[in-house]
Each structure stands twice: as C-alpha cells, then as structure tokens.
Amino acid sequence: MTKLYKTSDITRRKFLLGGAATLAAMTTSFNAQALKNTPVHVVIAGSGSAGISIANRLARVLKKGRVTVIDRKETHYYWPGLTLVATGAWPKSKVLGQNADYLPSNVDWIKEMVAEFDPDNKQVVTDTGRAVNYDYLVVATGVEYNYHAIEGLDTDAIGHNGLASVYHSPDAAERSWDAIKKYSEQGGNGFFTLPSTPIRCAGAPLKMTFLTLDRLQQNGGFAKAKMNFYSATNNLFGLPWFNQFILDRYHDAGMTVKFRTELKAVDTDKRIATFVDADGERFETDYDLLHIVPPMRASAPVRNSKLAWREGNMASGGWLAVDKETLQHINYPEVFGCGDVNGTPRGKTAATVKMSVPIVVANLLATIAGQELPASFNGYTSCPLLTKFGAAMLIEFDYNGDLTPTYPFIDPHKESWLAWVMKEQLLKPTYLQMLKGNV
Amino acid sequence: MSELNLTFFMLLGYAQAHWFVVLLFVFGAAGLNYTAWVQKGAFFNRDLLKQTAIGFGGLFVFLCLTLPAMTGSSLAMLGYWVDWMLLIVMAGGYAFAISLWVYPILRLRESLKPAD
Ligand SMILES: Cc1cc2nc3c(=O)[nH]c(=O)nc-3n(C[C@H](O)[C@H](O)[C@H](O)COP(=O)(O)OP(=O)(O)OC[C@H]3O[C@@H](n4cnc5c(N)ncnc54)[C@H](O)[C@@H]3O)c2cc1C
C-alpha cells in the first residue's frame, strides 16, 4: 500500500488550537513558498458545494497551476433548502442558482460527466470519451439516489397520488408539497421512510415529518391523520439523547414508529406500499401520503473504480476510500475526497463540506509541496433540526458523537427561535460564502 | 476564532443577499443626515432627540411583538434566553437603524418650518 502522510502531533495541536486561522496561515505560507509557481494540474470531479468551494480556494493559490472542474450540471441546487420547498415555506426559485456564477473564472470547466476513474494512470475518462490526465484529483461527486431499489417506483410519480420525496430534486420537492398539502388538509395514513444505507442529511426526513405534523395542525387534517415512521435502521437519529427526544415527540403526536422496517416496493396507482420487517416478513399497507427517502450510494464511476472501499461497511455503497482524518485516499496519495461521496462515518451534510473543504485544501497543498499533512478532520456535522415552523435545534457533532457547538451559548438540546432564524435566513448566505471559499 | 469568522461571513452574506435594501438604507441615511447637518442651526436638538427616542421606544416594542411572526415563527416559540437576547438585539438594531432616518427627517422638517 502506498505510504500515507501522517499528521504530526505538533501540527495537529496547532490546527486544533488555531482552527481556521492556522489553516489560512498554512495556505498562505505554501502559497508564498512553493505553490504559486508550481505548474500542477488539479482535476475536481463534481461541481456541487464541495467541488465549487475547493475550486475557489485552489484557484486563488495555484496561480501557475491549472484547475479543471468536470461536471455537466449547470444549475446549482441549494439542497438544504429543499425541506422548506417541500413543506410550502419557500418557493423553488430560492434553491436554484447557476454554477457559472460560483465557479472562479480561471478554472477550466468541462461540461461532461466522469465515466471512469483510472487512478493507476492518473486519468479520468468522461462520458464523451475524453481522457483527462491529472497530477492531483479531488473527487466530489456527491451521492447517487437509488430509487430503482424500490420496486415499482417511478420518480415521475413524485407529487402525484400521495407520493412525496424531498430528496430527488427541487422540482420533486415542489411537487411533494402538492402531495403533503393535500394530505395536511384531508388526513389519512401517512408514512415516512428511512433506508438502511448512509444518507445525506439524516435530519431531513425527521424535519419533513415534524413539518408535516405542523402542517396537519395548521390545515385541519391532524384529527383525521395517522402518521407512521418506518426506519430500516435501529434508530431515528445517531445521538441517543436526540433519538429519544424525537421518538417522544412522535409518540406525543400519536405516531407509530417502527425500526428495522424497510420499504421494498410501491404501487403508486393503488397507493400500496410494501415493507419488510425485522423478521424478514413482507407486509403491505395502504397510504394517503408516502414520503420516500431513497437508498443512497456513491455514483457508478466511483463505485466501480479502484477508488472505492473494497472492504468494511462502506464497501457495499462503493463510497470513496479516504482516511477519515486527512480525507486523503488510502491508496492513492494524490487523490482526495470531499463531501457526500466520502466513505467516512457520519456527516453527509453541507456543514461537513464547510468544515472539511479547508482541510482537504490544506492537505492537498501540503502534498503538492511535499510536506506533511497539516490538517485533520474531526467529522464535524450539523443538523438544524426543524421541530416546527418557527423553532429548531442546532445539533453539531463529530465522528465520536460528541457535541461540538460552534456557539457555546446555544444549547443544542433546546428548541429555539434563534436556530430557526439561522436555518431560514442565515444559512443560505453562509452557504454561498462557503462556495466562494470564504467560510 | 472560527465562530467569529463564521459570524462575520454569515452577516456579510446576509448583507450581500439584501444588498439593495442595505445600499438604499446607507445612502438614504447618509444623504438625509448630511442635508440636515448643513441646515442652519445646531444639528442636535433636545426636543427632536426626545421625539426620536420616543419613536425608537415605540418601534422597539412593536418589533419585539412582530419580529417572530415576520420570520415565520411566533412569540410563543421564544422559550429560551438566547431567543430573547436575539429578539432584543434585532428589534433594537432595526429600531436604531430606522432612527437614523427619522432624526434627520424631523430635523429637516423643523428647519423648513416658516419662522414665527
Ligand atoms: C433534502 C436535503 C436537505 C438537506 N439539508 C441539509 C441541512 O439542513 N444542512 C446541511 O448541512 N446539509 C443538508 N443537506 C446535505 C447537503 O446538501 C449535502 O451534504 C451537500 O450538498 C453535499 O455536497 P456535495 O458537493 O458532496 O454533493 P452535491 O452538492 O450533490 O454535488 C455533487 C456534484 O457531483 C456531480 N457529479 C455526480 N456524478 C458525477 C460524475 N460522474 N462526473 C462529474 N460530476 C458528477 C453532480 O452533478 C453534482 O453537481 C441536505 C440535503 C438534502 C438532499
């Protein structure tokens, strides 16, 4: 196995002490010393939040280098806003942007998709057959939604006949609101699902449930509604205190919660969902609202490449095999991963991207400069858990599940208006600053 | 450190997202205050300051009562001291900002009054 650079104790301590300031200083010193005139070619696969943030930071430092971004997608989705679109609080237009407005002008943008990663030859091949060589590669291709794993599901049916799914796209989120609005007026059997795979923003399905409960109260359907949450995992949330809090809230609202119960098939015309329970028994149920969270995995080119985990619990999803602290590939030191594609525990959120981008950049620049990797990622993730319209809990934690509040005076265990204001008003501007490489 | 950096860029981003309102406010306040300043007589006037302070108080109370609803929430959801702090800071901030328009307008109105 290729030798990995180790984070020395001193640099680790420095990083922990100085945080962003140290990172900024490190980046500046690399810049001044060696990097400005280094003619390296860095390829970034994916122009989502991770890819664009990294492109902006690298383009500032690698003056003589070349940064190439590969992604066909031109419309930028502000994914964290989709829960508000799907519950009727935001218009769809608020989550749409143009990647061209966020990408720096001095990067090459190849509007194609990576079809093949060939790390042995330091090359990627796009879906038009174009081969692109690189000196360094950042994989930031996000997740692939595997709706096909649910038998009978056609994503075009989202928004119709009681079918909802916030995850698919802004269009589907908008259509999901049609289904949820109708349900909130008429009531009936509502089902919210959670798959067994890792998912991005594990709080989103829980927020969808809370906000639907609130809409039921507002629109008169609550008394006629029977809400259910079927999770294919052993819990609702990874941290025990919050898991219990959410469970209590759901029970208070008269909801039924089942664990190790996975959605397997759906008949969208007849409104019948088929689940498999903990004992492997299949059972069918009628629904008036079915909110689906699709199983997720890495996109096919990553999954089928030598870059994916081949063993361990991340192997089945083909997630990118990176070291969870340095975010450097475990076998190819010139390859780094950032964002949802990473096969690391917890943390597929924009908040994780925000915290890990400077770490990836610092470690990549150190690798280019032939120095030790200076930065280490603690697995920071965050979830503004909306418990109703107007209140939220700001939960931030690391790989170990330890709470890591950015603002120590905000108690993550308390619902607050402040957290709602942050989510509704401040997080999108902050996200856009992150894309520019500022935060 | 990181929370200061985050707060700075959060507020900068928020200001950028509302750049038109921010610019309108800044240029409006600067223009009004300059125009009031170059009028005859002292810029600061005890009676007008008093009137502005009363306006500030009324506005502050009004904003305290309505800001939660204006942000898609309600007063009933403020159950925690950081919420009350935020409410005071926001209501105070907006009321102060509006006073930066109100005072020079009062001052201009005063100076445009025909002399008795
Ligand atoms: C409904 C919902 C709610 C959320 N709420 C929150 C929240 O409240 N807080 C929070 O922090 N996070 C939230 N998130 C999660 C957050 O949006 C993601 O974690 C974050 O956007 C991940 O960024 P990324 O760059 O890894 O992936 P993406 O932003 O998805 O970008 C991946 C990019 O890679 C491209 N790509 C894919 N395959 C290829 C290929 N083969 N070649 C080239 N390009 C490719 C795609 O086109 C895409 O542009 C939410 C997500 C959803 C869906």
Side-chain angles (χ1 to χ4, degrees):
Chain A
M1 199 170 91
T2 319
K3 179 179 153 285
L4 276 183
Y5 294 91
K6 282 265 181 311
T7 311
S8 77
D9 279 353
I10 292 173
T11 48
R12 191 185 300 238
R13 219 174 309 136
K14 235 200 228 161
F15 168 67
L16 289 172
L17 283 174
T22 309
L23 266 180
M26 285 180 323
T27 308
T28 319
S29 68
F30 289 147
N31 182 9
Q33 287 160 18
L35 296 169
K36 214 169 171 184
N37 298 316
T38 312
V40 288
H41 182 207
V42 181
V43 166
I44 301 171
S47 64
S49 53
I52 292 179
S53 306
I54 288 177
N56 273 297
R57 284 176 185 253
L58 287 181
R60 263 184 232 152
V61 180
L62 299 172
K63 298 279 185 221
K64 284 264 167 64
R66 194 150 61 94
V67 178
T68 301
V69 173
I70 306 178
D71 192 343
R72 181 168 289 115
K73 199 163 161 227
E74 296 191 39
T75 307
H76 191 86
Y77 295 168
Y78 173 61
W79 291 106
L82 260 61
T83 40
L84 294 170
V85 174
T87 50
W90 274 15
K92 185 179 74 179
S93 56
K94 221 168 160 176
V95 297
L96 300 176
Q98 289 301 317
N99 279 339
D101 295 339
Y102 308 129
L103 277 166
S105 54
N106 56 342
V107 302
D108 299 330
W109 181 9
I110 300 177
K111 293 179 189 171
E112 296 165 17
M113 297 303 260
V114 174
E116 196 188 321
F117 290 95
D118 180 1
D120 290 329
N121 294 308
K122 293 194 183 178
Q123 190 179 71
V124 297
V125 181
T126 70
D127 53 1
T128 64
R130 184 204 300 246
V132 182
N133 294 312
Y134 61 79
D135 298 314
Y136 298 91
L137 171 71
V138 180
V139 183
T141 49
V143 300
E144 180 182 282
Y145 298 135
N146 188 11
Y147 281 100
H148 299 300
I150 301 161
E151 217 177 288
L153 181 64
D154 173 3
T155 51
D156 287 343
I158 295 172
H160 309 291
N161 220 12
L163 189 70
S165 183
V166 67
Y167 277 93
H168 183 270
S169 59
D171 281 337
E174 189 182 47
R175 283 185 275 124
S176 292
W177 169 231
D178 294 338
I180 291 171
K181 185 165 183 258
K182 206 164 169 193
Y183 176 72
S184 69
E185 290 159 356
Q186 299 176 348
N189 281 331
F191 288 89
F192 286 75
T193 72
L194 209 55
S196 53
T197 63
I199 60 168
R200 59 167 34 158
C201 191
L206 309 170
K207 298 178 216 180
M208 286 303 297
T209 312
F210 275 126
L211 296 183
T212 301
L213 284 168
D214 214 12
R215 287 295 188 209
L216 280 163
Q217 300 269 16
Q218 292 169 5
N219 296 344
F222 190 76
K224 296 169 275 176
K226 178 75 197 88
M227 291 268 286
N228 304 271
F229 198 105
Y230 287 2
S231 165
T233 66
N234 290 322
N235 54 25
L236 297 175
F237 199 84
L239 308 187
W241 190 93
F242 295 95
N243 184 54
Q244 195 54 49
F245 172 88
I246 297 161
L247 262 177
D248 291 346
R249 277 296 170 86
Y250 285 179
H251 285 146
D252 290 349
M255 285 182 65
T256 302
V257 178
K258 284 190 181 173
F259 296 117
R260 293 177 298 283
T261 303
E262 186 149 30
L263 179 68
K264 285 292 176 191
V266 61
D267 183 331
T268 52
D269 291 332
K270 294 186 185 147
R271 294 197 199 187
I272 296 173
T274 307
F275 291 89
V276 171
D277 69 15
D279 304 321
E281 296 288 326
R282 267 174 101 92
F283 68 95
E284 288 185 351
T285 177
D286 295 345
Y287 66 84
D288 298 288
L289 177 72
L290 176 64
H291 181 269
I292 293 178
V293 179
M296 297 181 201
R297 56 189 182 184
S299 63
V302 174
R303 226 168 51 234
N304 301 330
S305 74
K306 285 185 168 178
L307 295 177
W309 282 110
R310 289 283 156 248
E311 56 194 33
N313 57 358
M314 291 289 160
S316 64
W319 303 103
L320 191 72
V322 290
D323 177 81
K324 70 178 185 149
E325 290 182 352
T326 62
L327 306 179
Q328 184 181 44
H329 195 273
I330 56 162
N331 296 325
Y332 299 96
E334 66 283 355
V335 178
F336 286 81
C338 196
D340 292 353
V341 71
N342 279 352
T344 48
R346 303 193 199 264
K348 296 201 185 300
T349 66
T352 308
V353 171
K354 179 189 79 190
M355 284 305 224
S356 54
V357 161
I359 286 163
V360 169
V361 170
N363 286 345
L364 173 60
L365 294 179
T367 307
I368 295 172
Q371 298 178 2
E372 275 191 358
L373 302 197
S376 171
F377 184 48
N378 70 354
Y380 174 89
T381 187
S382 157
C383 171
L385 184 67
L386 305 176
T387 50
K388 50 176 106 84
F389 288 99
M393 295 160 100
L394 202 59
I395 312 167
E396 300 165 280
F397 50 100
D398 61 14
Y399 282 138
N400 301 324
D402 294 331
L403 293 172
T404 54
T406 306
Y407 299 101
F409 55 87
I410 301 178
D411 184 349
H413 301 96
K414 290 212 163 83
E415 291 169 274
S416 73
W417 173 57
L418 180 142
W420 164 261
V421 171
M422 281 181 106
K423 166 77 187 172
E424 215 263 334
Q425 310 254 342
L426 295 173
L427 288 188
K428 187 179 168 200
T430 312
Y431 174 92
L432 296 179
Q433 290 291 334
M434 175 187 85
L435 290 187
K436 290 182 202 160
N438 293 335
V439 174
Chain B
M1 272 307 284
S2 64
E3 61 269 31
L4 288 182
N5 174 282
L6 181 66
T7 309
F8 171 75
F9 281 108
M10 208 183 250
L11 295 178
L12 179 71
Y14 188 75
Q16 279 177 351
H18 300 90
W19 64 270
F20 185 72
V21 180
V22 172
L23 283 186
L24 190 74
F25 166 77
V26 170
F27 283 118
L32 282 168
N33 280 286
Y34 176 75
T35 317
W37 184 266
V38 295
Q39 300 300 312
K40 271 197 200 127
F43 177 72
F44 291 108
N45 170 314
R46 187 182 286 264
D47 282 347
L48 296 182
L49 280 173
K50 209 166 141 190
Q51 283 176 39
T52 307
I54 292 167
F56 172 89
L59 206 58
F60 177 77
V61 173
F62 172 77
L63 287 171
C64 280
L65 296 175
T66 55
L67 266 176
M70 282 197 260
T71 56
S73 186
S74 74
L75 257 185
M77 286 186 202
L78 275 70
Y80 171 39
W81 71 266
V82 294
D83 290 345
W84 295 108
M85 284 304 295
L86 178 70
L87 186 63
I88 289 167
V89 168
M90 275 175 85
Y94 284 126
F96 178 73
I98 292 169
S99 304
L100 292 180
W101 275 50
V102 170
Y103 182 76
I105 289 172
L106 290 178
R107 176 73 186 78
L108 282 171
R109 210 186 55 169
E110 185 76 7
S111 61
L112 292 177
K113 262 190 200 161
D116 296 325

